[in-house]
Structures are given as structure tokens and as C-alpha cells.
Amino acid sequence: MTKDEYLKELKHYLKRLSPKDRENAVAYFTEYFTDAGENIEAVMAELGTPKEAARELVQGLLTEKTAEKRQISLSSAILLAITAVFLLPVSAPVLFFGLLAVFTAVFLVFSLLLGGIFLDIAILTQGVTMVFDSLFIISHSLAGTAILAGSGFFYLGAGILFGMAVIWVCRLLSKGLLHTVQKLTAQRSVLK
């Protein structure tokens, strides 16, 4: 294989690089061959096949760019830490009251749901009580029994519907909470 064939094949394997990086790499290898003079075969043996040389070069560039990004992220982290220290007197009360507001909202929602569950239990209990009471007055008044039993069944139906609504709201809130937690954990893992 001649020097020109080697460089042509090397260009082919470096096509994934940016044009600037590709030109720099080809210029480096061309200069390397020029410096070798008559020992082109020895240089080719040292570099390996064009595919191997391209793979080594791409890995080197990747390592170099990763190190640059780490250095930038380290300086960003230091800057963020310094900013956090200076903003602590302002951000601590804001964070405290923000957490307090979230806790209050969660407590309020939990209290409303618990109140809804107890109200549903009361409605169902009232309905069952009215149906059973209607059985005890059947001998006194048939119309009163019908009204009381009808009211009891109405309460039972309303209690079942209200219970379904409470369950639906609980599911909706739990899905929303789960979605929020998943978003927060996904953002936290992206930031790492």
C-alpha cells in the first residue's frame, strides 16, 4: 500500500469527524509520513491499518473532548457552590416557606380526602340505618315505610356515587404525585 492509498483510506474512516478535525488528522498523518522519509513501510507497520489508526485517533479525540467537558463542568460546579453560599441568607427563608406551603397543600388535600371518606361512610351508614328502620315501622305505616326505605336507598346510591368520586380523586392525585416524583427524579439524574 502506498502513502497516498493509506491516506485516502484513512480519510474514508475519518468521515464521522468534523471537517476541521478530519483535515487536522490528515495533515498530521501526512507530516508524519513526510518526516519518515524512506521508511514508509515501517511507519505503516507502526500505525497499523488505516482503520486501526482512525479508531485510535477518534478515541483520543473523544477522550480529549470529554476531559474538556469535565473541566468546564467542574468550574461550573465551583461557581454554583460559591453563588449558593452567597445566596443562602436570601434563599433559606424562601426555601423554608416554599416547603411549608407544599406541606400545607399536601396536608390540606389529605384532610379533604380523609373528610370525604368519613362523609361517604356517614352517608352509607345513614342509608343502611334508614332501610333497616323502615323494616321496623312496616306494621305502623306502609307509606312511611316506603318513604323511609326510598330515602335509605337514595342515601345508599348517593354514598356509592360519592365513594366512587372520592376513589377517582384519590387515584388522580396519586397519579399526579407519582408523575411529579418521576419528573423530579429524572431531572435529578440528568443533572448528575
Side-chain angles (χ1 to χ4, degrees):
M1 178 180 285
T2 67
K3 175 180 91 168
D4 294 331
E5 291 172 341
Y6 190 93
L7 291 173
K8 183 179 179 184
E9 202 170 319
L10 183 68
K11 273 185 190 179
H12 172 72
Y13 288 120
L14 295 176
K15 65 183 175 186
R16 292 183 182 160
L17 294 178
S18 68
K20 180 183 173 188
D21 287 339
R22 187 173 42 245
E23 287 175 22
N24 289 341
V26 171
Y28 171 78
F29 281 104
T30 304
E31 185 178 329
Y32 197 71
F33 277 116
T34 304
D35 289 345
E38 298 294 324
N39 299 328
I40 292 176
E41 289 82 21
V43 171
M44 285 186 200
E46 179 186 335
L47 294 174
T49 65
K51 187 175 187 176
E52 292 170 345
R55 184 181 316 129
E56 257 186 69
L57 180 73
V58 169
Q59 286 176 347
L61 283 173
L62 182 62
T63 304
E64 182 182 312
K65 292 194 186 247
T66 305
E68 287 175 11
K69 285 184 180 179
R70 281 188 187 145
Q71 186 176 9
I72 290 171
S73 64
L74 180 63
S75 62
S76 298
I78 291 170
L79 183 62
L80 182 65
I82 291 170
T83 305
V85 167
F86 283 120
L87 290 177
L88 189 61
V90 175
S91 61
V94 171
L95 180 65
F96 174 74
F97 286 114
L99 289 174
L100 188 63
V102 169
F103 176 74
T104 304
V106 168
F107 183 74
L108 178 67
V109 168
F110 180 73
S111 298
L112 288 173
L113 286 176
L114 197 60
I117 291 169
F118 285 132
L119 180 62
D120 186 48
I121 291 170
I123 292 171
L124 289 172
T125 304
Q126 181 66 27
V128 169
T129 304
M130 291 176 91
V131 169
F132 278 122
D133 284 348
S134 70
L135 296 176
F136 292 116
I137 65 166
I138 198 165
S139 61
H140 298 295
S141 169
L142 196 54
T145 301
I147 290 173
L148 198 56
S151 298
F153 285 124
F154 173 77
Y155 274 104
L156 284 173
I160 291 170
L161 287 175
F162 189 72
M164 290 172 59
V166 168
I167 291 170
W168 179 78
V169 169
C170 285
R171 283 186 181 167
L172 186 68
L173 288 174
S174 64
K175 283 182 184 178
L177 180 64
L178 182 65
H179 180 70
T180 304
V181 168
Q182 286 175 343
K183 280 180 80 173
L184 289 175
T185 55
Q187 286 177 353
R188 178 175 251 172
S189 66
V190 166
L191 293 176
K192 285 185 178 179

